Amino acid sequence: KAGVTQTPRYLIKTRGQQVTLSCSPISGHRSVSWYQQTPGQGLQFLFEYFSETQRNKGNFPGRFSGRQFSNSRSEMNVSTLELGDSALYLCASSLAAFDYEQYFGPGTRLTVT
Amino acid sequence: DQQVKQNSPSLSVQEGRISILNCDYTNSMFDYFLWYKKYPAEGPTFLISISSIKDKNEDGRFTVFLNKSAKHLSLHIVPSQPGDSAVYFCAASGGSGKAAGNKLTFGGGTRVLVKP
């Protein structure tokens, strides 16, 4: 069974631009979560989607948004990019509504210049 | 407010010996704990987990111990192998009850180096 895939793997953007990252969960998984990893803040929860509904959101500004499609694929969007948004963005999927064992993709490395 | 803490940023151990990684948490509502291993440029890989109703879970070379009264968990790797060299994260879930969904709260990580 294929794992979680994320595209693109690497991205360079300029301050003020916006970016969309994509995540395809493991087949059959219905929950998708997004995390941001930075050297200073570690791994921080962004948001989680289940059956196209956002169930939970971390402490991030409204510039960070996401959505989930009917096939469970998910996208996250960051508008008006700031230098501090440079990070590894990780997507994780799990099978069910309350299934804490999450499986991570390789991440998208975003660099904002 | 860091609810999950790994106080040792790094650990060096000889091949074949035991690696012990520690993790402390403050939120008494956490009810499920996980350990992940991460190599550079890869996503975290799930290792082992434990429910708050247990105090020990074992899977091959990996054992996780949970002490609820102390709000402390540890991961034991026996014997340690060079391929175990990675960053290890502990994570907790259930911190807001069911409203937390599948949200995981991570510790800061411990970098393990296993020397041949």
Side-chain angles (χ1 to χ4, degrees):
Chain A
K1 188 183 272 191
V4 177
T5 58
Q6 293 185 244
T7 56
R9 291 293 311 276
Y10 302 92
L11 205 48
I12 300 175
K13 289 286 190 178
T14 305
R15 268 183 304 176
Q17 288 187 314
Q18 67 114 23
V19 67
T20 299
L21 312 181
S22 181
C23 171
S24 292
I26 292 172
S27 178
H29 283 198
R30 296 170 62 195
S31 168
V32 174
S33 298
W34 288 88
Y35 294 85
Q36 181 197 64
Q37 185 183 23
T38 59
Q41 298 297 319
L43 269 159
Q44 292 191 292
F45 173 78
L46 278 157
F47 26 66
E48 186 224 347
Y49 289 87
F50 181 81
S51 292
E52 301 178 66
T53 300
Q54 186 183 92
R55 293 204 295 175
N56 206 346
K57 191 175 195 300
N59 189 24
F60 280 82
R63 300 185 296 107
F64 291 81
S65 63
R67 58 178 175 167
Q68 186 181 34
F69 303 95
S70 58
N71 62 359
S72 294
R73 192 177 69 84
S74 177
E75 289 180 347
M76 68 163 280
N77 185 78
V78 188
S79 63
T80 319
L81 283 165
E82 301 177 359
L83 294 178
D85 297 333
S86 295
L88 180 67
Y89 290 89
L90 292 158
C91 167
S93 75
S94 52
L95 186 61
F98 295 102
D99 182 359
Y100 303 133
E101 292 181 14
Q102 297 182 18
Y103 297 85
F104 284 80
T108 295
R109 171 71 63 184
L110 172 65
T111 302
V112 181
T113 62
Chain B
D1 174 32
Q2 208 174 349
Q3 298 187 61
V4 179
K5 285 186 183 179
Q6 294 175 254
N7 290 317
S8 298
S10 64
L11 173 70
S12 182
V13 65
Q14 209 65 37
E15 181 180 4
R17 304 295 293 270
I18 184 171
S19 293
I20 300 177
L21 290 80
N22 294 303
C23 180
D24 297 296
Y25 62 95
T26 57
N27 188 336
S28 58
M29 290 189 68
F30 286 142
D31 60 5
Y32 202 82
F33 303 89
L34 308 92
W35 285 93
Y36 284 84
K37 171 180 171 180
K38 188 178 185 300
Y39 295 116
E42 294 184 13
T45 302
F46 170 72
L47 272 177
I48 191 169
S49 60
I50 187 167
S51 164
S52 60
I53 63 173
K54 296 185 175 182
D55 55 18
K56 178 182 174 181
N57 189 26
E58 203 168 345
D59 184 2
R61 297 186 297 115
F62 302 93
T63 303
V64 56
F65 297 91
L66 176 62
N67 182 334
K68 280 185 65 178
S69 60
K71 293 191 179 68
H72 177 84
L73 64 153
S74 62
L75 174 69
H76 292 205
I77 307 173
V78 184
S80 299
Q81 299 173 354
D84 295 331
S85 297
V87 178
Y88 290 77
F89 292 94
C90 70
S93 193
S96 306
K98 291 299 185 186
N102 288 341
K103 171 186 175 181
L104 294 179
T105 301
F106 283 87
T110 297
R111 184 177 302 277
V112 172
L113 175 63
V114 180
K115 299 178 180 177

